[in-house]
C-alpha cells in the first residue's frame, strides 16, 4: 500500500504542475487580434478589423461607402484604409489566427480519461453462481507530464500566427499603395499619349493637304500617316493597361457592384522637395521586421519541440489504468460481495526503437530553423539597403527629368516655333520637336512613378509585408505600363 501511494503521488505530480495553465487568453473570439492591430497601425497609421458577425459586416460596409463618398477622387491613403477594412483575403488570414488561438486553447485542456465497465460470470438458475463487475479508468500519463511543454509550444505557434496575420495586413497595405501608384501613373501616360495623338493627327492632316498640292511626296506622307497609326495603337494599349491596373486596385480594396464607380486622380503627386534620410535603416529593419520576428518564433518553437522530443525519447506511450473489480457470490441463498482496487501501468519498452532517429530529426529541424533565421537577418539588412538606395536614386532620376530633360525639350520646341514663325524651319521640323518633347514628358512620368513605387517600398523594407526588391518592382511596372482609375 505504501508503494502504491508513492506511485500515485508521482503520477499525480504532473497534474498538479499543469493545474496553473488556463486557456482564458485564447478563448476570446478576438484572441490575439489587438496585437495585430497595434503592430500594423505603427507602420500604416490605419485601422483594421476582424469581422466575425453580421453587425460588424454591415458596419464595415457602411464605413467603406462613407470613405468612397467623402472624396470625388480616391487618394492613396483612403484606398489603403478601404483595403484594410474590406479585403476578404485579409479576413481569411485573421481566421487562421483564430484557428491558432483555438489550438492553443485546446492545449491547455487535460486529456479526457477513458472509463470502461464490464460484467462477467452470469450464473445458471439452481446452480452455484457468482457475478463479477469490473470497472477501469484510463488516462495518458505522458500527456500530463508534457502538458506544460505542449502549452508553451502552442503559445509560441499562437504568437507566430499573430505576427503572420500582421505581415499579411502590411502586405495588403503595401500592395494597395503600389496598385494606386501604378493606376494613376497609367492614366497620366494615357493623357500624354492623347496629347501626342492630337499633334500627330495635325501633322498627318497637313501632310495630306501638302500631298494634294504636290509639295510633299507620297513616301513622306506615308511616314506621317504610319506614325499616327502606331501612336493610336500605343494609346489603346496604354488605356487597356490603365483599366487593368484600376481593376487590380479594385480587387485589393474588395469592391464590387455599385462601389465600382469610383475615380482616382489622372496624375501622380509632384516630387517632394527632398528625400527622407534613413541613416539607420538596417537597424530599423532588424528591430521592426515582423517576418524576422516570425522566423525567431519558428526557432523558438523548434527548440521547444526538441525538448519535447527529448522527454519522449524513451517513453513513447505511457498510460495509467485505475479501477475496481466487484465480485458478488450467491451460495445457499446468501449473497457475498467483495470489491478489489486495481492499478495497472503499461508502457512500450524501447528495445528496437530507442528514439535516436527522432532525436536526429529534431536536431536537424533546429539547425534548419537557426540557419533560416540567420539567412533572413542577412536578407533583411540587404533589402533595407536596396530599398533606400532605390528610393534615393529614383528621386534623383525623376528630378533630373523634371528639372533638366523636360525644360530643355520645352526650350527646343519654343525655339523651333520661333524659327517656324520666321519661315526658317518647316512645319514637320516643328512637329518633330513637339513629339520629342512629349516622349520626354512620358519618360518623366515613368521616372516619377518609379520614385513613388520606391517610396512605397520603404515601409515593407522596414516593417515587412511586401516585396522590397526595388529594381524588380521597377521592371514589372515598366513592363505593365501603369494605370489610373478616374476613367
Amino acid at each position: 500500500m505504501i508503494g502504491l501511494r508513492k506511485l500515485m503521488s508521482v503520477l499525480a505530480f504532473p497534474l498538479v504542475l499543469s493545474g496553473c495553465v488556463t486557456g482564458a487568453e485564447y478563448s476570446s473570439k478576438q484572441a490575439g487580434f489587438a496585437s495585430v492591430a497595434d503592430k500594423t497601425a505603427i507602420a500604416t497609421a490605419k485601422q483594421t478589423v476582424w469581422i466575425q458577425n453580421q453587425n460588424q459586416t454591415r458596419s464595415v460596409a457602411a464605413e467603406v461607402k462613407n470613405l468612397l463618398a467623402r472624396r470625388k477622387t480616391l487618394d492613396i491613403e483612403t484606398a489603403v484604409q478601404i483595403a484594410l477594412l474590406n479585403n476578404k483575403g485579409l479576413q481569411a488570414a485573421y481566421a487562421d489566427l483564430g484557428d491558432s488561438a483555438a489550438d492553443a486553447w485546446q492545449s491547455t485542456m487535460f486529456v479526457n480519461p477513458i472509463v470502461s465497465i464490464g460484467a462477467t460470470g452470469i450464473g445458471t438458475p439452481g446452480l452455484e453462481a457468482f457475478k463479477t463487475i469490473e470497472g477501469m479508468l484510463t488516462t495518458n500519463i505522458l500527456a500530463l507530464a508534457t502538458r506544460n511543454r505542449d502549452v508553451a509550444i502552442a503559445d509560441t505557434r499562437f504568437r507566430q500566427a499573430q505576427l503572420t496575420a500582421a505581415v499579411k495586413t502590411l502586405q495588403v497595405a503595401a500592395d494597395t499603395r503600389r496598385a494606386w501608384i501604378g493606376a494613376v501613373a497609367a492614366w497620366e501616360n494615357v493623357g500624354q499619349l492623347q496629347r501626342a495623338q492630337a499633334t500627330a493627327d495635325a501633322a498627318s492632316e497637313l501632310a495630306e493637304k501638302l500631298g494634294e498640292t504636290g509639295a510633299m511626296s507620297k513616301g513622306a506622307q506615308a511616314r506621317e500617316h504610319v506614325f499616327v497609326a502606331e501612336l493610336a495603337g500605343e494609346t489603346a494599349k496604354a488605356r487597356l493597361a490603365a483599366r487593368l491596373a484600376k481593376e487590380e486596385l479594385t480587387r485589393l480594396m474588395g469592391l464590387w457592384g455599385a462601389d465600382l464607380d469610383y475615380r482616382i486622380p489622372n496624375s501622380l503627386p509632384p516630387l517632394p522637395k527632398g528625400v527622407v534620410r534613413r541613416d539607420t535603416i538596417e537597424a530599423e529593419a532588424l528591430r521592426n521586421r515582423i517576418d524576422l520576428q516570425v522566423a525567431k518564433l519558428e526557432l523558438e518553437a523548434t527548440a521547444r519541440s526538441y525538448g519535447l522530443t527529448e522527454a519522449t525519447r524513451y517513453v513513447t506511450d505511457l498510460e495509467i489504468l485505475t479501477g475496481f473489480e466487484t465480485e458478488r457470490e450467491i451460495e445457499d441463498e446468501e449473497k457475498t460481495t467483495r470489491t478489489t482496487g486495481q492499478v495497472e501501468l503499461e508502457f512500450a519498452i524501447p528495445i528496437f526503437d530507442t528514439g535516436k532517429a527522432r532525436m536526429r530529426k529534431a536536431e536537424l529541424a533546429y539547425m534548419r530553423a537557426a540557419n533560416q533565421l540567420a539567412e533572413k537577418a542577412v536578407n533583411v539588412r540587404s533589402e533595407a539597403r536596396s530599398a533606400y538606395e532605390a528610393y534615393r536614386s529614383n528621386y534623383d532620376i525623376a528630378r533630373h527629368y523634371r528639372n533638366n530633360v523636360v525644360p530643355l525639350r520645352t526650350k527646343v520646341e519654343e525655339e523651333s516655333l520661333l524659327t517656324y514663325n520666321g519661315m526658317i524651319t518647316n512645319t514637320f521640323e516643328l512637329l518633330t520637336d513637339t513629339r520629342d518633347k512629349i516622349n520626354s514628358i512620358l519618360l518623366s512620368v515613368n521616372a516619377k512613378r518609379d520614385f513613388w513605387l520606391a517610396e512605397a517600398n520603404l515601409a515593407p523594407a522596414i516593417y515587412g509585408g511586401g516585396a522590397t526588391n526595388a529594381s524588380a518592382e521597377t521592371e514589372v511596372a515598366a513592363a505593365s505600363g501603369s494605370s489610373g482609375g478616374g476613367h
Side-chain angles (χ1 to χ4, degrees):
M1 290 299 293
I2 294 176
L4 178 61
R5 290 194 189 98
K6 288 183 178 180
L7 176 62
M8 293 302 294
S9 64
V10 170
L11 295 178
F13 184 62
L15 182 63
V16 174
L17 289 179
S18 306
C20 60
V21 183
T22 66
E25 180 184 355
Y26 316 114
S27 59
S28 169
K29 288 187 177 181
Q30 294 281 330
F33 182 70
S35 174
V36 174
D38 291 342
K39 285 182 178 294
T40 55
I42 294 173
T44 65
K46 301 289 182 295
Q47 71 176 81
T48 184
V49 296
W50 186 1
I51 303 172
Q52 299 189 51
N53 56 54
Q54 289 297 323
N55 289 335
Q56 291 175 335
T57 300
R58 286 190 290 268
S59 176
V60 168
E63 178 64 17
V64 169
K65 289 186 179 295
N66 181 52
L67 290 171
L68 289 171
R70 190 177 299 171
R71 299 177 181 273
K72 291 183 179 180
T73 57
L74 191 67
D75 60 53
I76 191 170
E77 299 301 331
T78 304
V80 172
Q81 181 60 84
I82 290 174
L84 293 184
L85 293 175
N86 205 44
N87 186 282
K88 301 305 183 284
L90 197 54
Q91 294 301 314
Y94 296 157
D96 292 340
L97 173 61
D99 280 345
S100 180
D103 290 339
W105 186 13
Q106 183 68 49
S107 72
T108 65
M109 301 178 184
F110 295 111
V111 177
N112 291 328
I114 300 174
V115 178
S116 58
I117 300 176
T120 61
I122 301 175
T124 303
L127 300 177
E128 181 178 284
F130 64 89
K131 186 174 184 180
T132 301
I133 300 175
E134 295 181 353
M136 193 64 64
L137 178 66
T138 306
T139 186
N140 191 307
I141 296 303
L142 180 61
L144 293 175
T146 60
R147 179 170 177 266
N148 283 348
R149 291 181 182 177
D150 288 337
V151 172
I153 293 172
D155 179 73
T156 302
R157 293 300 184 192
F158 171 62
R159 287 185 286 128
Q160 196 174 30
Q162 287 178 297
L163 295 178
T164 301
V167 169
K168 178 63 176 179
T169 304
L170 295 179
Q171 182 180 351
V172 169
D175 288 346
T176 304
R177 286 185 181 277
R178 286 189 284 261
W180 186 93
I181 292 167
V184 173
W187 281 114
E188 191 169 358
N189 273 336
V190 170
Q192 295 298 335
L193 287 171
Q194 287 175 336
R195 295 184 185 92
Q197 186 74 51
T199 302
D201 288 342
S204 178
E205 184 178 350
L206 178 60
E208 185 176 357
K209 292 184 179 297
L210 291 174
E212 292 174 355
T213 63
M216 191 174 192
S217 67
K218 291 186 179 297
Q221 293 179 59
R223 279 192 292 272
E224 294 301 324
H225 295 329
V226 75
F227 176 75
V228 172
E230 290 174 347
L231 192 59
E234 291 299 318
T235 303
K237 287 172 60 178
R239 187 176 288 108
L240 172 62
R243 289 170 178 165
L244 294 179
K246 186 184 177 184
E247 283 300 329
E248 180 183 359
L249 178 62
T250 299
R251 288 194 298 271
L252 287 166
M253 293 192 295
L255 301 179
W256 65 289
D259 293 335
L260 296 178
D261 188 23
Y262 69 91
R263 300 178 65 85
I264 62 173
N266 291 321
S267 62
L268 289 169
L271 294 175
K273 293 182 179 180
V275 294
V276 179
R277 293 186 60 84
R278 307 302 284 256
D279 296 331
T280 60
I281 191 169
E282 290 183 53
E284 289 182 70
L286 288 175
R287 184 171 58 252
N288 297 313
R289 276 288 286 265
I290 297 178
D291 50 347
L292 185 60
Q293 297 173 33
V294 172
K296 290 179 180 178
L297 285 177
E298 179 63 30
L299 180 62
E300 179 182 335
T302 304
R304 291 183 183 276
S305 298
Y306 175 82
L308 185 60
T309 302
E310 177 73 28
T312 59
R313 181 180 181 182
Y314 295 109
V315 183
T316 57
D317 188 11
L318 177 62
E319 291 187 344
I320 182 172
L321 294 82
T322 62
F324 61 89
E325 179 179 337
T326 299
E327 181 179 312
R328 185 176 62 182
E329 184 177 336
I330 302 175
E331 184 177 359
D332 297 332
E333 298 182 354
E334 292 184 5
K335 297 180 180 179
T336 303
T337 302
R338 183 174 58 195
T339 301
T340 305
Q342 286 182 266
V343 175
E344 296 180 18
L345 187 65
E346 63 179 37
F347 57 89
I349 301 176
I351 297 176
F352 305 108
D353 183 4
T354 61
K356 289 184 178 180
R358 292 194 302 277
M359 286 294 296
R360 179 58 176 161
K361 287 181 66 68
E363 291 169 0
L364 292 174
Y366 180 82
M367 293 305 301
R368 182 188 302 112
N371 283 293
Q372 287 174 343
L373 175 59
E375 180 188 31
K376 188 68 177 177
V378 171
N379 292 344
V380 162
R381 294 171 68 98
S382 176
E383 289 169 4
R385 293 193 302 269
S386 297
Y388 184 74
E389 182 64 30
Y391 167 73
R392 188 70 181 82
S393 298
N394 277 303
Y395 177 78
D396 292 337
I397 293 170
R399 188 175 61 173
H400 172 72
Y401 274 99
R402 183 194 66 183
N403 296 345
N404 298 308
V405 177
V406 173
L408 285 173
R409 282 296 181 187
T410 302
K411 184 65 175 178
V412 169
E413 183 189 39
E414 291 173 351
E415 293 298 322
S416 180
L417 181 60
L418 290 175
T419 56
Y420 173 78
N421 291 335
M423 305 295 290
I424 300 174
T425 58
N426 59 41
T427 302
F428 296 105
E429 290 177 346
L430 174 62
L431 293 175
T432 298
D433 291 335
T434 301
R435 287 198 296 266
D436 290 340
K437 175 191 173 182
I438 292 173
N439 288 335
S440 296
I441 291 175
L442 289 175
L443 291 174
S444 179
V445 170
N446 291 337
K448 183 170 61 171
R449 174 204 62 202
D450 293 344
F451 164 74
W452 285 116
L453 285 174
E455 195 270 345
N457 284 333
L458 276 181
I462 296 172
Y463 297 99
T468 55
N469 189 327
S471 60
E473 288 289 336
T474 300
E475 291 173 4
V476 172
S480 62
S482 276
S483 110
H487 302 289

